[in-house]
Amino acid sequence: MDSPLRPEAAPLLQTRPGSNDEAERAYDADEKVVISVSEDDRSMEDDGSLPPFSWRKLWRFTGPGFLMSIAFLDPGNLEGDLQAGACAGYSLLWLLFWSTAMGLIIQLLSARLGVATGRHLAELCREEYPPWATIALWIMAELALIGADIQEVIGSAIAIKILSGGVIPLWAGVVITASDCFIFLFLENYGVRKLEAFFGVLIATMAVSFAIMFGETKPSGKEFLIGVLVPKLSSGTIRQAVGVVGCIIMPHNVFLHSALVQSRKIDNSKTSHVREAMSYYSIESTVALLISFFINVCVTTVFAKGFYGTEVASSIGLENAGQFLQEKYGGKLFPILYIWGIGLLASGQSSTITGTYAGQFIMGGFLNLRLKKWARSLITRSFAMLPTILVALLFDTDDSAMDILNESLNVLQSIQIPFALIPLLALVSKEQLMGAFRIGLIMKVVTWIMVGFLIIINGYLLLDFFTAEVHGLLISCLLSSALAIYVIFIAYLVLRGSAFRTSVTLVINKGFCNRN
C-alpha cells in the first residue's frame, strides 16, 4: 500500500551512492531565496501540519513555475498554435487545454521530485542508472535541447528580421540572439529573483502583444467556447492535433523544473516544510500555465479567425506569419506585423535563455561537473550555435525548406520524450528515494497512461515524418536498426524502474480481492 503523508515515513534525504559534498548542486546555499519561518510555523512542525496560507510566502515561492512555463510559449509552440488555427480553426482548442493540463501534471511531478529529494532529475538519473545508461540519457537530453535551441534562436532571429524591416538577415539575428547568454550571466550575478523578474517582464510582453492581436482581430467568442468545451477531431486535422500535443511536453523542461524549485531554501528534513513548498509550487505552476494557455489561445484564435478555410492556410509558418497578418489586418494604432514581431521576440529570447539554464543543470547533473556557471553557459550555448547559423544561412530564403527543418526538429525532440518522462515516473514512485512523498497508486496509473499516450502521439509524428521524407533502402535499413535500439532502451528504462509493473500488479490484486 502507498504511504500517506506522515512525519514518521521514510526520511526525505538519504545517503545514496555518489551523494557527497563535492557533487554538483543546482544552487549553492548563498544563492537560494530564504523562506522565512514564523513562530506559528514552528509550532506546527512537530505534528507535520501545514501553517495557514500566506500571500507573502506564495510571492516568495513565485518564480520557478513561470520560468518553467516559458517552454509552453517558445517559438515552436507558437508555430504549432498558428498552424492549428489556420488549418483547423477553433476545433483543436479543447486539445490545447487538455495538453496543457497534462503538461501541468508532468511538471508538478518534476517539482515534487526536486523538493522532496533536494536533488534534480539529471543528478538522480546519474545515481539511479549505470554509467552507460547515464551517458545515453545525457546524450538524448542534449540532442533534445539542441533541437529546441535551434527553433528558439531561429524564432528570435525571425523576430529581429521583422522588427528591423528586413535589414538584419536571419544569420545576423542568430548571432545577436546568441549573445543573450551574457544577459543571463549578468542577471544571474544579481540573484535568482532578479532573473525571475526579467522573465516575468518577457512573459508579460508576450501576453500584452498577443492580447492586442486578439483585440484587433476580434475572434468569435461563441466559436472559442465551442472549441474549448466540445472535443472534435477530423481526419484532416490529425497532423495539427499531433503538433499541438507533441510540442507541449519539452524534455529539457522536465529536467529544468526539478532544479528550479531548489532555488528556495527550505528544510527538506521536515515533512511540513516539504508539503508546504509543494503546495505553493502547485499554485504558482497552475497560475503560470493558465497564463501560457491564454497566450496560446490568443495565437490560435487570431489565425483561426483570419485564415481558416483560405487557400493560404496550409502555407503559413513562423517565418511568413507576420506578413500574412499584415496583409490581412494591417493595424489600427500600430502595424500588426510589429506587434507579432515583439511577441515573437519575447518568446524567442526568454526560451533561449531558459534553454541555456536547462543546459547547465543537464550537463552538470549527468556528468557531475563542478564548473563555473559562466563556463557551463558558454559550453551549452556553443552546442547549438554552429548548427543554428548554418540553418540560418541555408534556409533564409526557402520557406518550404524551413518548414521541413522545423518538422525534423519537432521529431528530434519527440523521440527524446521517453528518456525524460520514464526516469521521472520511476523516481517519483520509488519509496526509498521519495519516502512519504512518493506518488500513490492512482497517480501512478494515470501518469503512466499519460506517458504512454504521449509516446504514441509522438511515435505517430515520427512515423508520419519518415514516411513522407525518408526514401531509399540503405537509409530505411539504418533507421530500422536505430529504431530497434531505441525501443529496446525504452523497454530497459521501463523494466528498470518497475513502477508500471508494480502499479498493474496492485490494480489486478485489488480487483481480485474485491471480487472475492
Side-chain angles (χ1 to χ4, degrees):
M1 296 295 292
D2 295 321
S3 301
L5 301 181
R6 60 182 187 274
E8 66 270 18
L12 301 177
L13 293 178
Q14 305 176 42
T15 302
R16 296 179 296 274
S19 180
N20 54 61
D21 293 337
E22 296 302 317
E24 190 272 343
R25 290 290 185 270
Y27 296 90
D28 294 329
D30 59 350
E31 295 177 310
K32 296 187 177 185
V33 177
V34 177
I35 305 297
S36 60
V37 180
S38 66
E39 291 301 323
D40 290 339
D41 295 347
R42 290 191 180 93
S43 67
M44 295 183 179
E45 287 176 0
D46 294 335
D47 61 4
S49 60
L50 291 178
F53 176 82
S54 165
W55 287 103
R56 184 174 180 274
K57 270 194 178 181
L58 177 60
W59 174 246
R60 296 292 286 174
F61 276 106
T62 296
F66 282 87
L67 267 69
M68 169 273 294
S69 73
I70 287 169
F72 291 69
L73 299 168
D74 70 357
N77 276 279
L78 298 185
E79 184 163 35
D81 294 337
L82 68 89
Q83 289 175 346
C87 298
Y90 300 86
S91 66
L92 295 181
L93 290 176
W94 67 275
L95 192 59
L96 176 61
F97 173 78
W98 286 108
S99 297
T100 304
M102 283 195 298
L104 174 61
I105 292 173
I106 295 296
Q107 294 302 152
L108 289 180
L109 290 181
S110 177
R112 184 189 193 97
L113 181 71
V115 174
T117 65
R119 315 294 296 278
H120 60 81
L121 180 56
E123 292 178 281
L124 293 169
C125 284
R126 186 186 75 241
E127 297 174 1
E128 177 70 16
Y129 296 100
W132 69 267
T134 299
I135 294 298
L137 288 171
W138 171 64
I139 291 172
M140 293 300 183
E142 289 289 356
L143 287 174
L145 183 59
I146 290 170
D149 212 13
I150 291 174
Q151 286 183 311
E152 292 156 358
V153 172
I154 290 293
S156 283
I158 290 171
I160 292 170
K161 185 177 179 180
I162 290 171
L163 295 174
S164 69
V167 173
I168 300 178
L170 210 57
W171 69 266
V174 168
V175 174
I176 293 171
T177 305
S179 65
D180 64 16
C181 68
F182 296 106
I183 299 173
F184 161 70
L185 292 170
F186 173 77
L187 289 172
E188 197 176 30
N189 287 332
Y190 287 88
V192 172
R193 296 296 276 172
K194 301 293 191 303
L195 187 66
E196 291 169 349
F198 174 70
F199 284 111
V201 170
L202 292 177
I203 292 173
T205 300
M206 279 185 270
V208 171
S209 298
F210 297 132
I212 291 173
M213 287 173 51
F214 185 89
E216 291 261 344
T217 57
K218 296 180 174 61
S220 169
K222 178 182 177 182
E223 293 291 332
F224 163 73
L225 287 176
I226 293 174
V228 171
L229 299 175
V230 180
K232 189 186 301 182
L233 187 63
S234 66
S235 58
T237 60
I238 289 178
R239 190 181 185 92
Q240 286 73 36
V242 170
V244 168
V245 177
C247 64
I248 286 292
I249 307 296
M250 306 290 284
H252 72 271
N253 205 41
V254 178
F255 289 97
L256 176 65
H257 200 194
S258 64
L260 291 174
V261 295
Q262 294 174 48
S263 60
R264 271 53 179 174
K265 189 173 184 178
I266 65 169
D267 187 349
N268 295 76
S269 65
K270 290 185 168 59
T271 301
S272 60
H273 289 206
V274 176
R275 289 177 62 197
E276 182 183 47
M278 287 180 181
S279 175
Y280 283 117
Y281 281 136
S282 296
I283 296 170
E284 183 232 6
S285 296
T286 302
V287 172
L289 289 195
L290 282 174
I291 294 172
S292 77
F293 175 69
F294 164 76
I295 293 172
N296 286 319
V297 162
C298 285
V299 176
T300 301
T301 53
V302 163
F303 283 87
K305 170 67 183 299
F307 304 102
Y308 177 56
T310 64
E311 294 181 357
V312 300
S314 60
S315 62
I316 300 178
L318 200 63
E319 190 166 12
N320 57 19
Q323 196 58 48
F324 277 114
L325 284 171
Q326 185 64 26
E327 292 172 1
K328 181 77 175 181
Y329 295 107
K332 296 177 182 177
L333 299 176
F334 196 70
I336 197 169
L337 171 66
Y338 296 116
I339 298 173
W340 165 255
I342 290 169
L344 181 59
L345 182 63
S347 168
Q349 287 295 314
S350 58
S351 56
T352 51
I353 297 175
T354 53
T356 301
Y357 214 15
Q360 284 191 6
F361 298 129
I362 289 171
M363 178 180 291
F366 275 115
L367 304 183
N368 196 23
L369 294 179
R370 294 291 295 172
L371 295 175
K372 295 289 186 182
K373 287 190 175 181
W374 65 265
R376 274 189 281 167
S377 294
L378 290 178
I379 293 171
T380 301
R381 172 58 70 226
S382 299
F383 279 160
M385 276 308 98
L386 181 58
T388 307
I389 291 175
L390 290 175
V391 164
L393 290 172
L394 293 174
F395 302 125
D396 195 4
T397 58
D398 191 340
D399 290 345
S400 62
M402 183 67 80
D403 289 340
I404 293 173
L405 173 73
N406 278 324
E407 288 182 22
S408 304
L409 294 174
N410 286 336
V411 169
L412 176 64
Q413 292 173 76
S414 296
I415 62 178
Q416 315 302 330
I417 284 178
F419 306 118
L421 297 190
I422 294 174
L424 173 66
L425 295 191
L427 290 168
V428 295
S429 303
K430 191 173 181 180
E431 187 170 14
Q432 299 94 318
L433 178 69
M434 297 291 291
F437 298 100
R438 70 185 178 110
I439 60 174
L441 173 62
I442 294 176
M443 181 59 75
K444 282 180 189 178
V445 174
V446 169
T447 50
W448 275 104
I449 290 172
M450 278 175 37
V451 169
F453 172 72
L454 289 169
I455 291 174
I456 290 170
I457 285 288
N458 287 285
Y460 174 89
L461 180 63
L462 180 66
L463 181 63
D464 181 67
F465 176 79
F466 283 146
T467 302
E469 303 296 337
V470 176
H471 306 285
L473 180 61
L474 178 60
I475 295 178
S476 298
C477 290
L478 291 174
L479 287 175
S480 297
S481 301
L483 181 62
I485 297 172
Y486 175 80
V487 171
I488 290 170
F489 190 37
I490 290 176
Y492 165 79
L493 293 175
V494 172
L495 294 173
R496 169 97 183 184
S498 73
F500 181 67
R501 290 183 301 160
T502 303
S503 299
V504 172
T505 302
L506 287 171
V507 169
I508 294 171
N509 289 340
K510 278 191 173 183
F512 179 79
C513 292
N514 290 337
R515 286 196 301 271
N516 290 337

